[in-house]
Amino acid sequence: MSKQLALVIDLNVCVGCHACVTSCKEWNTSGAAGFLSDDRPYGRDPTGTFFNRVQTFEVGEFPHTQTVHFPKSCLHCEDPPCVPVCPTGASYKRAEDGIVLVDYDKCIGCKYCSWACPYGARELDEHQKVMKKCTLCVDRIYDEHLPAAERKPACVMACPTSARLFGDVHDAESAVSRAIRDAGGYALMPEWGTHPANHYLPRRKTEITLHRDELERVDNPLKIDGKLPKPDVKAPSLDDSTTW
Amino acid sequence: MRPAFSVIFLTTLIGAGQGLFVALYSAEFGAWLSFWAMPSAQYFSLGCVLVLALLGAGLFASFFHLGRPERAWRSAAMWRNSWLSREVIVLPLFMAAVAAYGLAHHLRGAGDLTLTLGGAGVALALLLFVCTGMIYACLPFLQEWHTPLTVINYLLLGCASGFLLSTAWAAVQAPALLVTAAAWTAGVTLVALVMRGAALVRDASLRPKSTLQTAIGVKHPRIAQKAQGFMGGSFNTRDFFHGKSFAWLRLVKWGFLLLVFPLPLALLAGGAALASWPVLAAAFLLQYLGLLIERWFFFAQARHPQNLYYQAIS
């Protein structure tokens, strides 16, 4: 089976700091493909093109609530619905690594692919008037000028809690495949058969189970642990009877 | 979805053009089968000019939908898998067939040539209806659109509009055909009413397959969005929300039902009885206004699952 690069995002670890958002924007606005729009960033009504967003959801009812920070970007579906609808062929899925890309020189900005994406992963750039989306930092992960450890998407590099894993989900022994397998990784909106390559790891409850015998000596026949008389302050101590 | 006016004008204008062409060819075909006398060559040739004007206006409107209209030619590339690409190919082919049909009538009058060219034109008109409808019907997660009724309604509403125009046109150019054309128009319009009604009934009973639970993969029944990642707008908040109230949507629905079906039918009856082309033209314009509203509603009522991710700003 061919390669399918993807991100695995651990919702149990994500703290919602938006470092992935800013580093994604920083890397992808500086590349050869041109800038990502960023209008009125300090104004009343800021808007712009981002490949990655972190959203926040509250699950449950107070006081039993959990805050789920949810990073959202293109899921690089194995069966991407946005690709076959494209009239120009600008939207395509690479055979060699499964990345879904947009050829900005062919895109006519008809927005049909954005209608065809149930996840809202595509955004029309208001200045270049072409459709843009996450490229998995395709201009970074194969760059041999970078040290091997840095050939990862910018968002993965930036994540302070290592909530974002990057790798080949078709390789059963890769770190991402193992994480999906071991931690119950799931895909978004499975009902549409898009088979997203990106997976999410669910929130987990972290609990320490303490047994009684770990707090208290089991062989404590009189059940008076902690109530033993302390030695008298004047009684000889080890220091008094030992020559070192 | 936020209705795009370029697409509203494109689909309603070419729909009327296609319908008018089907009506013109039916007039010739019926005369060929000796149901009625052959209308004048002008009825066909000038009628084709009218069809081309509608199609051209629709094509013009479609360019406003594109971010990079100068690259529009590229959109013919993916005809193997994209209905939009197929529409882009079939529309100019249909225009060429209409032009050839009109020219043949102008130069040589009705005959085998016009019958063949017109047959090809009607096939292309029907194919174009299928392409246009399938652009919307092929998207499975836009559940309101993902039904054969979408294609059927594009076909029937386009034909109703075109046949109504053909009735007004018959009042000018072929008065002998007026009553027949009016009867056909009434028939098509009533069938369109039934099918559009069926689509509305279907929409009312739709349950969205995607929920916030499947969108973020958390099974809890109570999930509330607290932040969508930004506080200003984005493409996702601009292009997928119509921003109108439910009451407004309901008003629009009854508005188009009134403007597309009963009112034009009443004017059609009056216009046919009086043999008055201005009344019939007014019926067409009134119905066209209704069809613009119908198309607006068609887009606005579609609930895109991506909206689940954009329910609250903070």
Side-chain angles (χ1 to χ4, degrees):
Chain A
M1 209 184 325
S2 60
K3 214 156 79 158
Q4 171 67 64
L5 295 179
L7 295 171
V8 170
I9 296 163
D10 192 346
L11 298 183
N12 199 44
V13 186
C14 177
V15 292
C17 71
H18 291 248
C20 53
V21 178
T22 50
S23 81
C24 164
K25 178 92 170 180
E26 186 257 344
W27 177 264
N28 286 297
T29 204
S30 325
F35 64 96
L36 295 182
S37 287
D38 204 22
D39 291 328
R40 304 176 297 280
Y42 304 105
R44 182 190 284 270
D45 180 27
T47 187
T49 307
F50 286 77
F51 292 170
N52 184 30
R53 309 271 194 185
V54 178
Q55 305 189 321
T56 303
F57 296 89
E58 187 177 79
V59 177
E61 198 169 357
F62 183 82
H64 305 292
T65 53
Q66 291 207 21
T67 302
V68 176
H69 299 295
F70 180 80
K72 172 171 153 321
S73 57
C74 171
L75 305 170
H76 299 278
C77 298
E78 308 235 9
D79 195 359
C82 54
V83 168
V85 300
C86 177
T88 67
S91 216
Y92 64 106
K93 185 173 177 68
R94 305 212 315 175
E96 64 267 35
D97 54 14
I99 302 181
V100 178
L101 286 177
V102 180
D103 185 338
Y104 300 152
D105 294 331
K106 279 188 188 169
C107 177
I108 57 172
C110 71
K111 304 183 230 175
Y112 193 23
C113 55
S114 74
W115 296 5
C117 171
Y119 307 101
R122 294 171 162 256
E123 300 189 12
L124 189 85
D125 191 293
E126 291 296 334
H127 293 280
Q128 293 175 23
K129 296 286 179 192
V130 294
M131 199 53 77
K132 296 197 170 178
K133 61 177 277 305
C134 164
T135 65
L136 274 183
C137 285
V138 72
D139 52 348
R140 190 184 165 92
I141 56 177
Y142 295 113
D143 188 351
E144 305 209 330
H145 297 293
L146 291 172
E150 286 180 25
R151 288 177 210 158
K152 291 175 185 170
C155 57
V156 176
M157 296 293 297
C159 183
T161 61
S162 301
R164 303 174 78 91
L165 311 174
F166 169 67
D168 177 12
V169 289
H170 280 179
D171 171 8
E173 287 311 313
S174 67
V176 281
S177 295
R178 246 179 288 133
I180 293 169
R181 208 162 51 228
D182 297 347
Y186 61 85
L188 304 182
M189 292 189 189
E191 60 272 23
W192 302 120
T194 55
H195 302 290
N198 281 14
H199 281 69
Y200 287 78
L201 305 183
R203 297 271 293 156
R204 295 180 289 279
K205 272 209 170 128
T206 314
E207 285 179 336
I208 305 174
T209 312
L210 289 174
H211 297 288
R212 201 173 161 74
D213 61 342
E214 290 168 317
L215 295 171
E216 197 175 287
R217 248 175 65 199
V218 190
D219 53 345
N220 178 17
L222 298 175
K223 304 282 181 201
I224 50 172
D225 251 13
K227 288 183 184 175
L228 291 171
K230 284 182 178 167
D232 190 82
V233 266
K234 285 176 187 159
S237 70
L238 202 60
D239 287 334
D240 299 321
S241 55
T242 314
T243 36
W244 297 97
Chain B
M1 301 285 292
R2 187 176 62 92
F5 276 94
S6 46
V7 180
I8 293 177
F9 278 107
L10 163 72
T11 55
T12 50
L13 284 169
I14 64 171
Q18 288 158 263
L20 178 55
F21 185 78
V22 173
L24 290 181
Y25 187 70
S26 320
E28 180 176 359
F29 199 71
W32 181 67
L33 294 174
S34 354
F35 287 145
W36 48 73
M38 184 66 77
S40 68
Q42 265 194 354
Y43 172 80
F44 292 107
S45 55
L46 289 180
C48 282
V49 172
L50 206 54
V51 173
L52 284 172
L54 286 167
L55 297 176
L59 191 61
F60 179 71
S62 74
F63 278 89
F64 289 93
H65 186 64
L66 303 182
R68 307 292 292 247
E70 75 278 11
R71 298 178 183 166
W73 59 274
R74 285 188 180 276
S75 58
M78 289 292 135
W79 56 273
R80 284 183 200 80
N81 44 32
S82 170
W83 283 104
L84 180 52
S85 192
R86 290 170 196 162
E87 186 193 38
V88 164
I89 293 169
V90 174
L91 178 55
L93 281 182
F94 174 54
M95 291 176 84
V98 174
Y101 179 75
L103 208 61
H105 266 292
H106 178 66
L107 295 177
R108 307 181 49 177
D112 285 347
L113 179 65
T114 57
L115 215 55
T116 319
L117 280 173
V122 166
L124 285 167
L126 296 179
L127 194 61
L128 187 53
F129 275 127
V130 173
C131 290
T132 312
M134 279 309 287
I135 287 175
Y136 307 98
C138 76
L139 302 173
F141 33 81
L142 282 159
Q143 289 169 267
E144 289 83 354
W145 296 353
H146 189 54
T147 159
L149 285 171
T150 299
V151 179
I152 292 170
N153 281 323
Y154 269 80
L155 172 75
L156 287 173
L157 291 171
C159 282
S161 172
F163 271 69
L164 185 51
L165 186 56
S166 85
T167 313
W169 184 235
V172 181
Q173 287 286 344
L177 215 58
L178 180 60
V179 176
T180 320
W184 276 83
T185 305
V188 173
T189 310
L190 288 173
V191 178
L193 172 62
V194 171
M195 297 315 273
R196 192 64 182 95
L200 287 175
V201 170
R202 177 183 175 276
D203 292 339
S205 61
L206 277 181
R207 293 176 123 246
K209 263 196 199 171
S210 286
T211 59
L212 204 44
Q213 280 73 20
T214 68
I216 68 168
V218 174
K219 301 291 186 290
H220 201 286
R222 288 183 66 104
I223 305 176
Q225 185 161 33
K226 293 294 168 189
Q228 57 185 15
F230 51 87
M231 297 184 75
S234 78
F235 175 71
N236 304 73
T237 59
R238 284 190 294 269
D239 247 55
F240 294 88
F241 293 89
H242 54 76
K244 298 284 189 287
S245 68
F246 185 71
W248 171 260
L249 226 59
R250 203 170 42 192
L251 189 72
V252 163
K253 181 175 77 180
W254 287 107
F256 89 71
L257 282 175
L258 207 62
L259 283 171
V260 174
F261 302 108
L263 294 183
L265 280 177
L267 281 177
L268 172 72
L274 298 169
S276 149
W277 73 263
V279 174
L280 291 166
F284 169 75
L285 289 176
L286 192 68
Q287 190 188 48
Y288 183 72
L289 178 68
L291 286 172
L292 289 178
I293 299 172
E294 187 274 337
R295 223 32 60 87
W296 185 92
F297 181 81
F298 172 78
F299 283 100
Q301 49 130 212
R303 290 164 294 181
H304 200 289
Q306 79 106 36
N307 292 5
L308 292 167
Y309 295 107
Y310 299 94
Q311 293 297 318
I313 291 170
S314 66

